[in-house]
Amino acid sequence: MEEVNVGIVGLGNVGSGTLAILAENADQIALKLGFRLRVAAVCSRSVQERAIPQAFAAARRTTNWRDLVTDPGVQIVAELVGGNGVAGDIIDAAIAHRKSVVTANKELMGSCGPEIWDRAIRAGINLAMEASVCGGIPIHAVLREGISGDRVTALHGILNGTSNYILTEMEKRGDPLDTILAEAQKLGYAEADPSADIDGFDARSKLALLAALAFGEKILPSDIFVEGIRRISPMDFRYAHTLEHTIRLVCTARQTHDGLILSVRPALIPQSTILASVQGAYNAVWVKGAFGQDTFYYGRGAGPKPTGVAVVSDLMRVAREIRFGSPERVSPFAHERLGEYKPVSVTLQKSAYYLRFRVSDRPGILALLAGILASKHISLESVLQEPCDTKHDLPFVITVEPTSEQSVCDAVAEMAQLDFLREPPLALPMETGL
Ligand SMILES: NC(=O)c1ccc[n+]([C@@H]2O[C@H](COP(=O)([O-])OP(=O)(O)OC[C@H]3O[C@@H](n4cnc5c(N)ncnc54)[C@H](OP(=O)(O)O)[C@@H]3O)[C@@H](O)[C@H]2O)c1
């Protein structure tokens, strides 16, 4: 049985998970393919200290990725280094040497993936990137092939496991964000610099890629409105529960009359919606199609083995093509060519809103806030106030009927000037279309 030879650059979380699966699941993989995948070479800066499974003890070990990429014995290069730096050079060199590439790199594929695909096609090789978004959920395959016959109208996702872990722990235990974040950092669930996770940037890069596949437009992360979870506190969950909602960092791409509106932001979602049941570090993607209607995908968003499965499955797909040929390659972006995306402002969208205030109490506050809302033609829906001992830092919530985000932004900007507010109002959309 002739083998297909793989070279792996990067032996960190994903690289080591990939190697372990290739070794431990080798027989199953061979049964499915009809031939074996052999790891011919591995590379990382500290390759000599890395444990390589016995099955691949004969693999070439190098600290220089150029040795691996130019090795005539390597047919597919797995780029598992990450980032926008050397990873780009590795992929470019692999394409130049006419080797197919499997990558888990969302930054690189999000910023210049379509151009890399163009080069790959011209070189006659394949490029696969299933692991780049929602590690353990085969969402690329779904959008590229499984439901490619549909026309996607909306995509909602929980795409960052760390922020979802923090929010769901806050909801369960009532502890503040800082306490849960510190624990998550100790357990290794969150980075020392947590900004990418809790400020929404990681989720935004992932949404940019998924929206490109779903809607066929080249979307840059910077085109997407982003707001993180830093301002969410346990009291927001208590108020949300009173309203029969919960709070999640929701990634949304929605086709509207004005165009495709994209956002990553904390939002109130009904407790009854399936997205509300996504707990801990799990990810989920909900796709709405014009014809097939709703489909929902759920699983681990990261981790060596779940992400390793995505990498190995891509290696198998590409290896099959090397062995048996393929009459037609499917673009990893699900469209032969991506269109140019003209960003549409989230201020155009309409929604009900949750407005949470912290005030130094005095008579007439509610009348003043209601007056500002009325001046923007915003109708008040309800006022909620938990019992509170102190008058110096009194929280309460106003919910408003569906209105344009622009009106809410204008009202919040005006309210933020009021001297009795302890901080600017927190405004969260209440998602109803889920
Ligand atoms: N972690 C996850 O669960 C997850 C999930 C989905 C996608 N991803 C993506 O998967 C990719 C890898 O992530 P990771 O978490 O596995 O990263 P990681 O643990 O930091 O591993 C990176 C690896 O790349 C190697 N490396 C860095 N610079 C190199 C160079 N110049 N030459 C050779 N090797 C080099 C490192 O070598 P040394 O070991 O010698 O330092 C290390 O082995 C990223 O694109 C990430 O976004 C990760």
Side-chain angles (χ1 to χ4, degrees), residues 10-14 44-46 50 80-82 104-106 131 302-303 307:
L11 301 174
N13 292 303
V14 180
S44 92
R45 292 170 304 195
S46 60
R50 294 277 177 186
L80 306 176
V81 170
N105 193 328
K106 64 178 171 292
T307 312

Side-chain angles (χ1 to χ4, degrees), residues 77-156:
V77 174
E79 180 282 302
L80 306 176
V81 170
N84 270 313
V86 70
D89 299 334
I90 295 168
I91 294 180
D92 282 350
I95 293 173
H97 286 84
R98 305 202 58 220
K99 294 178 193 224
S100 286
V101 173
V102 170
T103 177
N105 193 328
K106 64 178 171 292
E107 286 92 358
L108 194 63
M109 298 315 287
S111 57
C112 45
E115 291 77 16
I116 295 175
W117 171 245
D118 274 349
R119 289 202 292 280
I121 272 291
R122 274 187 265 119
I125 55 96
N126 209 339
L127 172 71
M129 58 172 188
E130 182 64 68
S132 59
V133 179
C134 299
I137 309 175
I139 187 65
H140 288 244
V142 163
L143 293 170
R144 199 182 57 233
E145 287 166 71
I147 59 166
S148 62
D150 209 342
R151 188 174 71 241
V152 177
T153 56
L155 180 148
H156 304 282

Side-chain angles (χ1 to χ4, degrees), residues 182-195:
E183 275 172 28
Q185 283 169 326
K186 250 192 220 154
L187 293 167
Y189 299 159
E191 302 284 337
D193 175 3
S195 174

Side-chain angles (χ1 to χ4, degrees), residues 106-107 132-133 159-163 195-208 226 249 251 264 283:
K106 64 178 171 292
E107 286 92 358
S132 59
V133 179
L159 304 182
N160 181 267
T162 305
S163 57
S195 174
D197 292 323
I198 66 176
D199 293 322
F201 301 122
D202 172 80
R204 185 176 72 160
S205 303
K206 293 168 176 171
L207 180 63
V226 65
L249 183 66
C251 303
V264 174
N283 282 192

Side-chain angles (χ1 to χ4, degrees), residues 225-258:
F225 174 87
V226 65
E227 185 184 316
I229 62 169
R230 284 188 198 262
R231 292 199 62 197
I232 306 300
S233 70
M235 81 172 129
D236 293 309
F237 279 100
R238 293 196 298 274
Y239 282 117
H241 290 170
T242 308
L243 295 162
E244 297 182 350
H245 281 60
T246 185
I247 303 168
R248 295 286 185 268
L249 183 66
V250 181
C251 303
T252 293
R254 192 186 272 128
Q255 201 60 266
T256 70
H257 291 304
D258 298 306

Side-chain angles (χ1 to χ4, degrees), residues 370-385:
I372 292 175
L373 291 173
S375 73
K376 313 290 178 214
H377 309 289
I378 300 173
S379 301
L380 209 138
E381 169 89 41
S382 66
V383 179
L384 308 174
Q385 186 169 25

